[in-house]
Amino acid sequence: MSTVIEPADFMTEPEEIQEFRQQVRDFVDKEVRPRVAANDRADAAEFDWELIRKGHQAGLMRLIVPKEYGGLGLGVLGVAVALEEIAAACAGTALIFGATLLGQAPVLLSADQQLQSRFLPLFAGDDPVLACNGITEEDAGCDLLIPENAVHARDVMTARRDGDSYILNGRKRFITNAKVAEFGSIYANIEGHEGATGMTAFIVLLDSPGVTRGPVADKMGYRACLGSELIFENVRVPAENMVGGEGNGVHINIQQMNMARATVAALSTGVARGAFDIAKQWCADRIQGGLPLYKHQFTARKLAEMKMKIEASRLMYLQAAQAADTAIPAPVMQPATAKLFADQVSIEVSQEAMSLMGARGYLREYGMEKYVRESFGARIYEGTPEVLALAITEALYEEDDF
């Protein structure tokens, strides 16, 4: 009898990470999978706090929090592995934890011990604490992600110094966890700077006077996580909650994006893997022409190519995550290429998997259509394919001598 090879066996994952992958997989099988259908079909504003409490007990809120603050200290690699495993069952659930880790990132990157000591221990307490990351705005999406476009950003959220505080005004849109987060890493432009050239990060408690959480967006996928608008009207934020100094928001954002892109690539890999697993089982059970589907040459070719893409995607995100953990600042190239590839693989594999199942792939009861819907989600956040292409080519030409 042949030995079953698990995904981690051929990877360059440290033993600690391999063990952690299995722990997360066990959590997914026990807690996430039984809730997938109900959370996907629930009203847009419903939120499964019980699942979040279970995830908190498993350490999923504090993966990148240093051990001295009660965290697991597993770095970007640990986050990436966790998100692949969770997304293989439910991308929306994975994004709840991923968005919280993204909200923590500016605090970690700041190297500001007073900020870290005040906010990071929150995630090691008895009760789950969620965070969010507020960058995107109605009229300023990619212009906030591409440094040379910052001068062209329109109607950007502002921050004005007032004594020992800053006054924030503006709106953030499409913010994952905004409805349920305790605090957010919020980016605003210092008044007097053109466009978003004075962008600065602040840690904002979301129960502060003047903060309004908008209605939950009714999304086609990722329905387990809540995305909504955040409205800031004369919100007073202590100056000590500023991250990295005035005007350094662009640099902090770039660093956190390079970290996050590796983890989003992992999430997309998980979506592809989840769709593939359903199709693989179907092709073993379905008899056609007297043989299981996978015995037919046409089907075998499709399954082989799907598996090839998933394995390549995993290798790329592992490399990107390890690079993000070992280089300061995190590199541009590996995370951007990993995300660009994995997002494409997620869409291609889930659609191919659906086609192998025919009409049954289109039925909700088989679970495949959810993977197809969610395969498109990661193309939107942490860099569209076009933004990633710009980042990759800029890095290419920086590397070469002309």
Side-chain angles (χ1 to χ4, degrees), residues 115-371:
L115 273 180
Q116 293 177 351
S117 63
R118 286 167 55 210
F119 289 104
L120 295 182
L122 296 174
F123 300 96
D126 293 334
D127 297 319
V129 171
L130 294 174
C132 66
N133 193 67
I135 296 177
T136 304
E137 304 186 12
E138 182 66 39
D139 297 319
C142 293
D143 284 346
L144 298 178
L145 303 180
I146 304 173
E148 55 267 31
N149 284 13
V151 69
H152 303 295
R154 301 169 49 208
D155 302 323
V156 179
M157 181 172 170
T158 61
R160 172 176 54 85
R161 184 71 187 242
D162 183 44
D164 59 358
S165 301
Y166 285 84
I167 308 299
L168 272 55
N169 281 284
R171 294 170 177 253
K172 296 292 178 180
R173 288 214 66 187
F174 312 115
I175 307 302
T176 301
N177 285 354
K179 200 74 173 179
V180 290
E182 184 162 323
F183 75 81
S185 298
I186 308 298
Y187 290 77
N189 191 57
I190 301 296
E191 285 188 353
H193 292 263
E194 189 174 3
T197 57
M199 191 157 70
T200 304
F202 298 89
I203 304 303
V204 182
L205 296 174
L206 297 181
D207 60 357
S208 299
V211 178
T212 301
R213 306 174 197 244
V216 173
D218 194 0
K219 309 185 299 297
M220 68 177 276
Y222 287 77
R223 294 181 62 84
C225 66
L226 308 187
S228 61
E229 187 177 33
L230 285 171
I231 304 165
F232 300 84
E233 297 178 290
N234 294 320
V235 177
R236 185 173 292 274
V237 179
E240 62 185 14
N241 283 24
M242 179 174 57
V243 183
E246 288 191 3
N248 283 324
V250 170
H251 304 296
I252 293 171
N253 184 33
I254 290 171
Q255 290 183 63
Q256 74 175 35
M257 278 197 305
N258 291 338
M259 294 166 57
R261 285 170 178 168
T263 66
V264 177
L267 190 152
S268 289
T269 303
V271 172
R273 188 182 114 200
F276 175 79
D277 286 345
I278 295 175
K280 176 187 171 187
Q281 186 62 54
W282 169 256
C283 290
D285 296 340
R286 176 69 166 176
I287 305 298
Q288 189 169 314
L291 294 170
L293 266 183
Y294 78 89
K295 292 286 189 179
H296 294 271
Q297 189 177 43
F298 180 76
T299 304
R301 174 68 182 271
K302 285 181 176 290
L303 289 170
E305 290 190 349
M306 292 158 68
K307 179 64 172 175
M308 171 190 70
K309 291 175 181 178
I310 293 168
E311 292 299 316
S313 184
R314 182 178 297 112
L315 283 168
M316 289 183 72
Y317 91 63
L318 287 172
Q319 180 191 49
Q322 289 174 331
D325 276 334
T326 55
I328 299 175
V332 172
M333 179 65 75
Q334 293 98 327
T337 53
K339 183 180 187 298
L340 183 63
F341 183 74
D343 292 352
Q344 180 175 321
V345 165
S346 178
I347 293 169
E348 290 175 353
V349 169
S350 62
Q351 289 183 334
E352 200 71 86
M354 175 179 275
S355 73
L356 283 174
M357 294 180 67
R360 287 169 182 80
Y362 205 67
L363 300 179
R364 278 189 163 185
E365 66 181 281
Y366 288 85
M368 181 63 75
E369 57 84 32
K370 179 177 183 292
Y371 287 102

Side-chain angles (χ1 to χ4, degrees), residues 93-117:
T93 301
L95 193 59
I96 297 170
F97 298 109
T100 290
L101 300 169
L102 191 59
Q104 298 167 354
V107 179
L108 285 163
L109 291 168
S110 71
D112 186 329
Q113 290 188 346
Q114 70 87 13
L115 273 180
Q116 293 177 351
S117 63

